[in-house]
Amino acid sequence: MPQAPLPDEMNVYQNAEARFEVAAQKLGLEQGLYRYLKYPKKEITLYIPVGMDNGQLEVFTGYRVLHSTVRGPGKGGIRFAPDVSLDEVRALATWMTWKCGVVNIPFGGAKGGIICDPRKLSKGELERLTRRYTAELADWLGPERDVPAPDIGTGEQVMAWVMDTYSMHVGEATTAVVTGKPIELGGSRGRREATGRGVMICCDKALAKLGIKKEGCRVVIQGFGNVGSLAAQLMQAAGYKIIGLADVGGGLYNERGFDVPKVIDWVYTQKKPLPEFPGGGTKMSARDVLFQPCEIAIPAAIENQITEQNAHQVQARILCEGANGPTTWQADAIVDSKGIFTVPDILGNAGGVTVSYFEWVQDRQGFFWRESEVNDRLLDVMESAFDGVVRYAEAHKVNNRIAAYMLAIDRVASALKLRGIYA
Ligand code: NAD
């Protein structure tokens, strides 16, 4: 197997590849399977014309990468952000394949993105952008082909537009083409909280493993969107003490602990900046929040937050990754050498895709479950995935991240061997 050069630290695709290389090597993956799994199945670049509110025509660049359909349809979010790139979408698509493998659900991996700043677009502009992107991809998407979901900068409304546009193209209401939809449109109960809930389940398991008490356990969270704010809310309600919060506007640290529902109200109802939350606390950069003394640090915002330059500053006992790719390949070794227990992203944030899977199942059945049923099934899947990864790490004497990759690659490679190559 050829040795890949060391990754450029901030290139997420190279970071994903570096972990794949190590895991494939340790697994002794056959050359042919290695080549097959290393590259995506398909990459699409789109130039999307949109009539803007001021009468001008703008053209946006968008991507959809299908990494694997070996174990089922492609699955993965759509990201709207100014710094989206093909390499980033490719990395995220690859991670989706491994994530679905780790939690053992019958999906492959995919991801999409559009280079735009959704905060600067009107609702009408966002809708036209989403619809044209979906229309251009109509032949590639589908409940049995590729099923998008929300990611940074997209949410339930964008998913509703995707569902409607696709349905108009195929001439029938197709709820299962996308997940993370509003409940009224075939969304699943519990999907909105699912990623944050999955993060909490992993933290509960990690505490039990390390013999740390939950009551008063100090947690810092970077990112206050879908994943971060809901993880904070659920964890506080469960007895954790949330002492650090951050979003794109900066961070706030308060060792007495935050009243999370009040912070949610401040940020989401009153639309005020998180670092200005009244009631005290020390303002700091969004990144520094991750380096405060605590038991658990949860990066739940964007990539490349814990790097070779700053990894030595992490003081947490547990690093539970809610975001995709928050820790660089170079930082892994430093985090390991400090004895920090890591829950890698492809396990830590897999609660979202797990409940997306439940949503897809419910849409195809046309039969919807109670929220408690969704949450119970999520708990089952996450606990057994966590146990599987930790057992694998101990048995093979690798860290949790490489164990998660090995477990997932092995599952996809076994399925591929059974299917064989169509020629
Ligand atoms: P979101 O758009 O709802 O929230 C993102 C949050 O990150 C916001 O609070 C934003 O202010 C903050 N942020 C952005 N840039 C920042 C920066 N430079 N420093 C600090 N904070 C910053 O997105 P989300 O859905 O919560 O996704 C967050 C992460 O979790 C992403 O990596 C995403 O890929 C991953 N993820 C999301 C889901 C899901 O179900 N939403 C599932 C799996 C993984």
Side-chain angles (χ1 to χ4, degrees), residues 141-152:
L141 302 181
E144 308 296 337
R145 292 181 176 176
D146 180 4
V147 185
D151 193 75
I152 295 179

Side-chain angles (χ1 to χ4, degrees), residues 303-324:
E303 295 102 17
N304 297 337
Q305 295 304 290
I306 300 172
T307 66
E308 190 170 27
Q309 279 67 46
N310 64 30
H312 61 277
Q313 297 178 51
V314 179
Q315 302 191 50
R317 299 272 314 275
I318 297 164
L319 175 65
C320 183
E321 297 181 339
N324 285 304

